[in-house]
Amino acid sequence: MRSLMDLNENIFKPGANIKDIFDISKHTIASPTYQKLIDYTDRMEKEITDTNHEFTIRAKQNIRLQILLAFMNQFFINSSKGSDINKKEWNDFYSKMLNFADINQAENVYSKAFSNIISNMENIDIFQKDEKYIEDENERKQTIFNCTYRDMCKRGNVK
Protein backbone atom coordinates (compact mmCIF):
# COMPACT_ATOMS: atom_id res chain seq x y z
CA MET A 1 0.00 0.00 0.00
CA ARG A 2 1.14 3.51 -0.74
CA SER A 3 1.73 6.11 1.93
CA LEU A 4 -0.95 8.60 2.89
CA MET A 5 1.19 11.30 1.26
CA ASP A 6 1.00 9.44 -2.07
CA LEU A 7 -2.75 8.96 -1.65
CA ASN A 8 -3.21 12.66 -0.96
CA GLU A 9 -1.17 13.54 -4.04
CA ASN A 10 -3.00 11.08 -6.29
CA ILE A 11 -6.54 11.11 -4.88
CA PHE A 12 -7.37 14.29 -3.03
CA LYS A 13 -5.21 16.77 -4.91
CA PRO A 14 -5.58 15.98 -8.61
CA GLY A 15 -7.40 19.19 -9.52
CA ALA A 16 -8.73 17.80 -12.79
CA ASN A 17 -10.21 21.19 -13.55
CA ILE A 18 -6.80 22.89 -13.32
CA LYS A 19 -4.44 20.67 -15.29
CA ASP A 20 -4.61 17.63 -17.50
CA ILE A 21 -3.27 15.02 -15.09
CA PHE A 22 -5.34 12.32 -16.77
CA ASP A 23 -3.81 13.11 -20.18
CA ILE A 24 -7.15 13.44 -21.96
CA SER A 25 -7.08 17.04 -23.18
CA LYS A 26 -6.52 15.99 -26.78
CA HIS A 27 -9.23 13.32 -26.76
CA THR A 28 -12.14 14.14 -29.05
CA ILE A 29 -14.01 10.82 -28.87
CA ALA A 30 -16.00 9.95 -25.77
CA SER A 31 -15.39 6.19 -25.52
CA PRO A 32 -11.57 6.24 -25.14
CA THR A 33 -11.84 9.24 -22.81
CA TYR A 34 -14.33 7.36 -20.65
CA GLN A 35 -12.25 4.17 -20.69
CA LYS A 36 -9.02 5.95 -19.76
CA LEU A 37 -10.72 7.59 -16.78
CA ILE A 38 -12.35 4.33 -15.66
CA ASP A 39 -8.99 2.54 -15.86
CA TYR A 40 -7.38 5.29 -13.77
CA THR A 41 -10.16 4.94 -11.20
CA ASP A 42 -9.70 1.18 -10.99
CA ARG A 43 -5.94 1.57 -10.39
CA MET A 44 -6.40 4.22 -7.72
CA GLU A 45 -9.21 2.41 -5.91
CA LYS A 46 -6.98 -0.65 -5.56
CA GLU A 47 -4.46 1.52 -3.71
CA ILE A 48 -6.82 2.38 -0.86
CA THR A 49 -8.32 -0.97 0.11
CA ASP A 50 -6.36 -1.33 3.37
CA THR A 51 -7.54 1.90 4.98
CA ASN A 52 -10.29 2.80 7.42
CA HIS A 53 -13.71 1.91 5.95
CA GLU A 54 -15.13 5.46 6.17
CA PHE A 55 -11.97 6.92 4.66
CA THR A 56 -12.04 4.31 1.90
CA ILE A 57 -15.58 5.22 0.89
CA ARG A 58 -14.80 8.95 0.88
CA ALA A 59 -11.56 8.46 -1.02
CA LYS A 60 -13.22 6.29 -3.67
CA GLN A 61 -16.00 8.81 -4.15
CA ASN A 62 -13.45 11.61 -4.41
CA ILE A 63 -11.63 9.71 -7.15
CA ARG A 64 -14.88 9.18 -9.01
CA LEU A 65 -15.82 12.84 -8.72
CA GLN A 66 -12.39 13.92 -9.96
CA ILE A 67 -12.73 11.75 -13.04
CA LEU A 68 -16.30 12.93 -13.58
CA LEU A 69 -15.07 16.52 -13.47
CA ALA A 70 -12.33 15.71 -15.97
CA PHE A 71 -14.88 14.03 -18.24
CA MET A 72 -17.22 17.02 -17.94
CA ASN A 73 -14.42 19.32 -19.05
CA GLN A 74 -13.93 17.22 -22.19
CA PHE A 75 -17.68 17.04 -22.66
CA PHE A 76 -17.88 20.84 -22.82
CA ILE A 77 -15.07 20.97 -25.37
CA ASN A 78 -16.19 18.11 -27.64
CA SER A 79 -19.92 17.50 -27.36
CA SER A 80 -20.89 20.34 -29.66
CA LYS A 81 -18.27 19.55 -32.29
CA GLY A 82 -18.64 17.23 -35.20
CA SER A 83 -21.49 15.06 -36.32
CA ASP A 84 -24.75 14.19 -34.60
CA ILE A 85 -23.25 10.76 -33.92
CA ASN A 86 -20.35 12.39 -32.03
CA LYS A 87 -22.79 14.51 -29.99
CA LYS A 88 -24.88 11.45 -29.16
CA GLU A 89 -21.81 9.48 -28.12
CA TRP A 90 -20.67 12.24 -25.73
CA ASN A 91 -24.18 12.44 -24.25
CA ASP A 92 -24.39 8.65 -23.85
CA PHE A 93 -21.00 8.43 -22.16
CA TYR A 94 -21.81 11.44 -19.99
CA SER A 95 -24.81 9.49 -18.65
CA LYS A 96 -22.59 6.43 -18.10
CA MET A 97 -20.04 8.56 -16.26
CA LEU A 98 -22.72 10.09 -14.02
CA ASN A 99 -23.89 6.58 -13.12
CA PHE A 100 -20.35 5.39 -12.50
CA ALA A 101 -19.54 8.38 -10.28
CA ASP A 102 -22.74 7.80 -8.30
CA ILE A 103 -23.50 11.47 -7.86
CA ASN A 104 -26.09 10.78 -5.13
CA GLN A 105 -23.58 9.35 -2.64
CA ALA A 106 -23.64 11.23 0.67
CA GLU A 107 -19.82 11.07 0.82
CA ASN A 108 -19.60 13.35 -2.22
CA VAL A 109 -19.89 16.43 -0.04
CA TYR A 110 -16.38 15.73 1.29
CA SER A 111 -14.86 16.23 -2.16
CA LYS A 112 -13.60 19.63 -3.23
CA ALA A 113 -14.81 18.76 -6.74
CA PHE A 114 -18.46 18.40 -5.69
CA SER A 115 -19.55 22.04 -6.03
CA ASN A 116 -17.90 22.29 -9.47
CA ILE A 117 -19.69 19.13 -10.55
CA ILE A 118 -23.09 20.43 -9.46
CA SER A 119 -22.47 23.67 -11.35
CA ASN A 120 -21.26 21.74 -14.41
CA MET A 121 -24.32 19.48 -14.31
CA GLU A 122 -26.56 22.54 -14.48
CA ASN A 123 -24.44 23.99 -17.31
CA ILE A 124 -24.64 20.73 -19.25
CA ASP A 125 -28.38 20.54 -18.67
CA ILE A 126 -28.81 24.09 -19.99
CA PHE A 127 -26.47 23.36 -22.90
CA GLN A 128 -28.35 20.20 -23.86
CA LYS A 129 -31.67 22.07 -23.86
CA ASP A 130 -30.48 25.17 -25.71
CA GLU A 131 -27.48 23.69 -27.58
CA LYS A 132 -25.40 26.72 -26.71
CA TYR A 133 -22.91 27.54 -24.01
CA ILE A 134 -23.39 30.86 -22.27
CA GLU A 135 -20.06 32.69 -22.39
CA ASP A 136 -20.89 35.57 -20.03
CA GLU A 137 -20.22 34.31 -16.50
CA ASN A 138 -22.89 36.49 -14.85
CA GLU A 139 -25.52 35.44 -17.38
CA ARG A 140 -24.50 31.78 -16.93
CA LYS A 141 -24.77 32.02 -13.13
CA GLN A 142 -28.17 33.71 -13.40
CA THR A 143 -29.38 31.03 -15.81
CA ILE A 144 -28.12 28.27 -13.48
CA PHE A 145 -29.83 29.95 -10.54
CA ASN A 146 -33.09 30.26 -12.48
CA CYS A 147 -32.99 26.61 -13.57
CA THR A 148 -32.13 25.38 -10.07
CA TYR A 149 -34.85 27.55 -8.54
CA ARG A 150 -37.40 26.30 -11.09
CA ASP A 151 -36.41 22.68 -10.37
CA MET A 152 -36.68 23.22 -6.62
CA CYS A 153 -40.14 24.77 -7.07
CA LYS A 154 -41.25 21.75 -9.09
CA ARG A 155 -40.08 19.42 -6.32
CA GLY A 156 -41.89 21.48 -3.69
CA ASN A 157 -38.68 22.59 -1.92
CA VAL A 158 -39.43 26.28 -2.51
CA LYS A 159 -42.76 28.06 -2.49
Side-chain angles (χ1 to χ4, degrees):
M1 176 161 133
R2 298 166 88 167
S3 71
L4 285 179
M5 183 76 85
D6 288 340
L7 289 175
N8 182 53
E9 197 64 32
N10 292 319
I11 295 170
F12 291 106
K13 198 180 169 187
N17 59 334
I18 298 170
K19 56 186 177 179
D20 186 26
I21 67 152
F22 303 111
D23 193 30
I24 59 169
S25 66
K26 292 181 174 63
H27 287 218
T28 58
I29 301 171
S31 56
T33 305
Y34 174 85
Q35 193 58 54
K36 189 169 197 173
L37 293 170
I38 297 300
D39 292 347
Y40 176 87
T41 303
D42 290 342
R43 284 192 314 274
M44 292 313 307
E45 286 182 351
K46 288 176 184 168
E47 296 285 335
I48 55 173
T49 56
D50 296 333
T51 60
N52 169 290
H53 178 70
E54 187 175 317
F55 175 80
T56 299
I57 293 170
R58 289 180 186 175
K60 285 182 177 183
Q61 275 311 113
N62 189 65
I63 293 166
R64 289 171 181 236
L65 292 183
Q66 290 285 344
I67 62 124
L68 174 58
L69 188 57
F71 189 86
M72 287 174 151
N73 290 338
Q74 289 307 110
F75 178 91
F76 281 126
I77 294 167
N78 294 298
S79 63
S80 63
K81 296 178 182 177
S83 66
D84 288 340
I85 293 170
N86 187 49
K87 292 175 188 178
K88 183 180 179 337
E89 182 189 25
W90 277 100
N91 284 324
D92 291 347
F93 276 94
Y94 171 65
S95 294
K96 283 177 128 178
M97 187 60 81
L98 282 175
N99 289 334
F100 178 76
D102 198 1
I103 199 68
N104 295 319
Q105 280 283 342
E107 290 79 12
N108 289 344
V109 298
Y110 296 103
S111 175
K112 291 180 181 179
F114 188 62
S115 63
N116 288 335
I117 286 169
I118 297 303
S119 175
N120 282 354
M121 287 175 70
E122 287 294 335
N123 274 317
I124 290 170
D125 190 43
I126 292 165
F127 174 79
Q128 287 175 331
K129 287 177 186 170
D130 299 337
E131 292 200 13
K132 67 175 186 168
Y133 181 75
I134 301 168
E135 293 292 332
D136 180 69
E137 186 174 350
N138 289 330
E139 183 183 352
R140 189 171 60 248
K141 285 179 181 178
Q142 185 64 50
T143 304
I144 290 170
F145 174 81
N146 292 342
C147 289
T148 304
Y149 182 76
R150 210 172 27 251
D151 288 347
M152 290 177 73
C153 289
K154 286 179 189 174
R155 291 185 203 136
N157 297 341
V158 177
K159 294 180 182 183

